[in-house]
Amino acid sequence: MDTKTELRTLRHFIGGDWVGAEDGATFAVLNPLDDSLYAHAAKGTDADMRKAVAAAKSAFPEYKQTLPAERERWLLRIAEIMEERKSELIDCLIDEIGSPIQKALFEFNKGLTMVRAAAGMCRNVRGETIPSDAPGKFSMSIREPLGVVAVITPFNVPLIKNTRLVANALAVGNTVVHLPSEMAPHLSVLFAEIVAEAGFPPGAYNVVSGYGHEIGDDLTGHEDVDFVTFTGSTVVGQHINEICAKNKTPNTLELGGKSPTVILADADLDKVMPLAARSIFMFAGQACIASSRFYVERPLYDEFVKRFAMLVSKIGMGDLRDPATVIAPAISERQRNRIRSHIEDAVAKGATVVAGGEWEGNRCQPTLLTGVTGDMTVCKTETFGPVTSIYPIDSYEEGLQKANDTEYGLSSAIFTKDIDKAFHFARNIGAGMCHINGPTIHDEAHVPFGGNGESGVGREGTDADMEAMTELKWVTVQL
């Protein structure tokens, strides 16, 4: 496929073929830095989605019989091709979703890890022997793939999500229909090119681009879809969960967050400050695990706010290909308005903007708020931007209580030298992930990544996806 042509008009990848939308419609994909036209993409219809699911279903019986060595070889070949096309993938991450170069490099390297870890899953699709009370009966379990897996990925880390969720599903013998964010279709088109070149058979991986609110239900509610994995907003996740519940379709949902960081009086601020900045300002806070709440014990509070404000003033907002640049553009006008409204609402109700709060083009300056109260939208609602609130606390116990005062439960962090308090926090925080003396933004291929409450259902990762994307069958043999 001619990549230069695809930068102008991106097509679906269905059954091993590159095809336009059923009705020929396309939609515009914009570069978020300046809203210039980046590409046109096929605007998927319900007919397109039905074709993709049919292709995946048709391919499944043969694909599930592929040998572990074949799937392992294909997955490792994906990693090799990714390295060969590194500059192309990096450029896409920068120009399609506005990733600063350092974030793009981080995502690329993490994606390689995800694919290689998935290759290791191929030889671990296993059951066990089971003692039987019946004389002469051999009893065992075998693990089998579910069938067609629906993968819906977000704009913010599209390569990480593609490589993790698609690769893990393929590793254990499932076929995939993928609906990428309408703001990041080109990245998934490039990934589909790589999957095809790596040798995966036609229909094993299918991509349909379009608007989730128009064709998402045609995928998640399809009777031939056997599993759904979604990353995105809590509102959409709840909708998908209801569809899956009605159809008894198992699913994993990785949703929003309002992740807290607690900093106790014995913490070393020299070590804390760069990690605190990473926790919220990587990709301009457009991360579900970004720390949008800092609870700082009073002996350190004033100094923490002072240092954070000084640090924020030096955070780079230049050329996205400059390694010193950290702050990315907000992905869309809708998201920019959300960020503006959260800041304006907080200020109108008495909060103080300690640093930032202004805009440079489509980029919001890294913003620190103090004096935030419960009646302000930013207090409890995810902003998904470079905005965080700093609160004083009088004790560890108060910090834990306030950290848990949320409907979300994704990531969390605590900074302290007190191992008892650190582990007490880890055991009692209502989040799916906790990092002691580390930032809330952290992920690895094999860990159980995910959250509780409004932050989602289930976990992602090699072991977790192995459990979720396969099912056990009990087999006995009477000897």
Side-chain angles (χ1 to χ4, degrees):
M1 187 170 61
D2 185 344
T3 301
K4 291 183 179 179
T5 299
E6 290 309 308
L7 286 172
R8 296 182 64 85
T9 303
L10 311 173
R11 292 172 289 173
H12 305 317
F13 185 61
I14 300 176
D17 295 323
W18 296 98
V19 297
E22 178 77 9
D23 59 4
T26 63
F27 65 95
V29 182
L30 305 181
N31 182 327
L33 187 64
D34 56 8
D35 292 330
S36 60
L37 181 64
Y38 175 75
H40 289 104
K43 186 172 179 285
T45 65
D46 57 346
D48 296 321
M49 196 59 79
R50 288 196 300 270
K51 286 182 182 178
V53 174
K57 182 181 179 182
S58 177
F60 175 66
E62 184 175 345
Y63 183 70
K64 71 178 290 190
Q65 300 300 328
T66 55
L67 299 175
E70 292 179 294
R71 299 194 301 275
E72 178 185 64
R73 182 174 69 251
W74 293 332
L75 287 163
L76 292 175
R77 181 62 183 140
I78 286 178
E80 291 175 354
I81 300 170
M82 283 176 61
E83 289 190 300
E84 294 167 5
R85 300 180 67 173
K86 178 179 178 178
S87 62
E88 190 177 0
L89 290 166
I90 293 295
D91 283 341
C92 181
L93 288 168
I94 294 172
D95 296 328
E96 184 174 39
I97 65 168
S99 294
I101 182 67
Q102 294 292 359
K103 183 265 187 185
L105 289 168
F106 165 83
E107 185 168 355
F108 174 81
N109 290 324
K110 187 69 70 174
L112 285 177
T113 301
M114 297 291 180
V115 173
R116 289 168 176 153
M121 297 172 65
C122 300
R123 299 177 185 276
N124 284 289
V125 185
R126 60 180 68 179
E128 61 183 358
T129 57
I130 305 170
S132 175
D133 288 333
K137 188 177 290 291
F138 183 82
S139 176
M140 63 181 174
S141 65
I142 58 175
R143 187 174 289 280
E144 297 183 324
L146 294 176
V148 177
V149 171
V151 175
I152 305 177
T153 53
F155 76 86
N156 59 340
V157 282
L159 187 56
I160 287 176
K161 287 296 182 177
N162 283 18
T163 50
R164 164 179 270 162
L165 299 176
V166 173
N168 288 359
L170 293 172
V172 299
N174 295 299
T175 55
V176 174
V177 178
H178 180 193
L179 174 59
S181 167
E182 66 271 18
M183 292 174 282
H186 187 219
L187 192 283
S188 294
V189 164
L190 292 178
F191 189 68
E193 288 182 0
I194 292 170
V195 170
E197 185 179 343
F200 280 88
Y205 178 48
N206 307 272
V207 178
V208 177
S209 57
Y211 293 106
H213 67 273
E214 293 180 353
I215 58 174
D217 290 3
D218 297 312
L219 176 60
T220 59
H222 199 293
E223 61 182 3
D224 290 330
V225 166
D226 301 290
F227 186 84
V228 174
T229 179
F230 167 78
T231 303
S233 74
T234 296
V235 172
V236 176
Q238 179 60 36
H239 175 71
I240 291 174
N241 200 27
E242 291 169 2
I243 292 174
C244 290
K246 181 179 179 180
N247 296 336
K248 299 181 178 63
T249 307
N251 62 87
T252 56
L253 306 173
E254 201 268 283
L255 309 178
K258 195 68 179 168
S259 300
T261 293
V262 174
I263 301 169
L264 300 186
D266 64 348
D268 183 345
L269 286 186
D270 289 338
K271 295 178 180 178
V272 168
M273 299 316 303
L275 299 178
R278 175 184 173 83
S279 285
I280 180 60
F281 297 126
M282 184 177 183
F283 198 45
Q286 295 175 121
C288 53
I289 50 178
S291 185
S292 54
R293 298 183 290 151
F294 284 89
Y295 297 101
V296 186
E297 208 163 9
R298 285 195 187 274
L300 289 185
Y301 176 79
D302 290 339
E303 182 66 14
F304 177 83
V305 172
K306 177 183 176 182
R307 289 199 192 189
F308 214 174
M310 291 177 61
L311 189 157
V312 159
S313 69
K314 299 175 183 178
I315 290 179
M317 292 183 66
D319 189 305
L320 293 179
R321 287 175 168 79
D322 183 345
T325 295
V326 173
I327 299 299
I331 191 66
S332 66
E333 188 59 28
R334 178 183 177 185
Q335 183 56 30
R336 293 162 209 150
N337 289 335
R338 179 184 179 91
I339 296 168
R340 289 188 190 99
S341 69
H342 281 205
I343 296 172
E344 291 168 0
D345 174 76
V347 171
K349 294 175 180 176
T352 299
V353 177
V354 176
E358 301 297 327
W359 287 76
E360 298 179 22
N362 290 341
R363 287 187 273 193
C364 178
Q365 295 174 349
T367 301
L368 307 179
L369 299 174
T370 58
V372 173
T373 55
D375 62 332
M376 300 174 188
T377 304
V378 74
C379 182
K380 297 291 181 69
T381 304
E382 183 177 39
T383 304
F384 219 66
V387 180
T388 194
S389 305
I390 310 171
Y391 306 84
I393 54 173
D394 290 311
S395 66
Y396 159 71
E397 290 76 16
E398 182 185 3
L400 175 61
Q401 183 273 321
K402 289 186 174 180
N404 276 330
D405 185 18
T406 178
E407 295 179 342
Y408 295 100
L410 192 53
S411 189
S412 63
I414 184 170
F415 287 88
T416 180
K417 296 184 180 72
D418 189 324
I419 193 67
D420 291 326
K421 288 179 180 177
F423 270 87
H424 185 272
F425 183 85
R427 295 294 299 274
N428 289 279
I429 188 68
M433 300 175 285
C434 177
H435 304 291
I436 297 171
N437 294 328
T440 56
I441 293 184
H442 187 61
D443 189 12
E444 296 185 40
H446 56 291
V447 303
F449 186 96
N452 306 327
E454 294 298 308
S455 289
V457 175
R459 299 292 185 267
E460 299 173 359
T462 52
D463 292 349
D465 284 333
M466 175 74 74
E467 292 285 335
M469 295 182 180
T470 62
E471 60 187 355
L472 290 171
K473 180 181 290 184
W474 181 36
V475 179
T476 68
V477 180
Q478 183 63 55
L479 302 176

